[in-house]
Amino acid sequence: MENTQRGTEAPHRLVIIVGSVREGRFGPTVASWVAEQARDHGGFEVDVVDLAEVDVPLVLPAVPPLLAGDDYPRPAGMARLTAALEGADAFIIVTPEYNHSYPASLKAAIDWHFTQWAAKPVAFVGYGGASGGRHAVLHLENVLSELHAVPIRDGLSFPSYFTTWQDGRPLDTATEGYAKTLLDQLSWWTSALRTARDAAPYPA
Ligand SMILES: Cc1cc2nc3c(=O)[nH]c(=O)nc-3n(C[C@H](O)[C@H](O)[C@H](O)COP(=O)(O)O)c2cc1C
């Protein structure tokens, strides 16, 4: 599918989130390759946000973000994350799988926000052992739908990445084609939803 927005519209502001904060993690390697694919695709202004570099406490304020709105008391160390989510037109979440779900770091980052996700498309890149992030992504789709985000159908999954990646990239060159399909779909939804958000406030 051709990206009809290229050259005719402001760049799509894409935020790629590195969900894992584990010591010795593989997440930044995957995110770096995904960012390269997004930049090469064209039309995206890419920002990578690494949750390991952000303060994301597990203890939430008394009032939920939905009710507190702009006054939600977030820690100063979260400002970079909040600003990125707020300004984003689209997201790609890079997630490992821990015990058939996604990491607690990612859940905390999601729960500290609300309107920042609404009426924006989210694509997923999962990796891990046998499951390749499959269960993690299913859980994320469910959670982000609650926040009025729009999950994209096509994603990327890397089972047993320790045997299928080398020198920071997947050995199977067909993967770049799958990434292009993901980015084509993400671009289409980004354009459609940005137009809709500009036309009328989303009734979250
Ligand atoms: C606590 C824990 C639980 C895991 N559970 C699963 C799992 O359920 N399915 C899977 O495919 N891989 C599982 N793995 C393997 C991870 O996906 C793999 O270690 C991956 O490298 C984790 O991502 P990270 O290196 O970015 O932290 C688990 C790893 C950890 C540390």
Side-chain angles (χ1 to χ4, degrees), residues 36-124:
E36 178 190 300
Q37 302 306 306
R39 290 191 183 102
D40 289 351
H41 185 270
F44 288 107
E45 193 178 276
V46 180
D47 184 15
V48 178
V49 178
D50 185 345
L51 294 186
E53 295 170 0
V54 179
D55 184 17
V56 188
L58 289 179
V59 180
L60 293 165
V63 180
L66 171 60
L67 300 178
D70 291 341
D71 297 330
Y72 199 52
R74 297 187 181 88
M78 194 181 286
R80 153 98 176 104
L81 172 65
T82 302
L85 299 182
E86 186 79 45
D89 296 313
F91 305 104
I92 297 179
I93 297 183
V94 176
T95 183
E97 180 159 318
Y98 294 169
N99 297 319
H100 279 199
S101 193
Y102 55 93
S105 44
L106 201 43
K107 185 66 163 69
I110 292 169
D111 289 347
W112 271 98
H113 299 88
F114 188 83
T115 53
Q116 291 80 7
W117 301 106
K120 296 177 184 176
V122 189
F124 303 97

Side-chain angles (χ1 to χ4, degrees), residues 18 33 46 126 130 164:
V18 184
W33 177 81
V46 180
T164 57

Side-chain angles (χ1 to χ4, degrees), residues 173-194:
T173 49
T175 314
E176 292 187 6
Y178 305 142
K180 182 178 181 310
T181 303
L182 176 158
L183 290 160
D184 285 344
Q185 293 176 4
L186 188 63
S187 180
W188 190 95
W189 278 106
T190 303
S191 192
L193 291 172
R194 191 162 70 178

Side-chain angles (χ1 to χ4, degrees), residues 103-150:
S105 44
L106 201 43
K107 185 66 163 69
I110 292 169
D111 289 347
W112 271 98
H113 299 88
F114 188 83
T115 53
Q116 291 80 7
W117 301 106
K120 296 177 184 176
V122 189
F124 303 97
V125 176
Y127 60 95
S131 304
R134 181 164 54 96
H135 306 96
V137 170
L138 285 173
H139 289 183
L140 278 168
E141 286 174 343
N142 189 33
V143 167
L144 285 157
S145 296
E146 164 64 10
L147 294 164
H148 303 270
V150 178

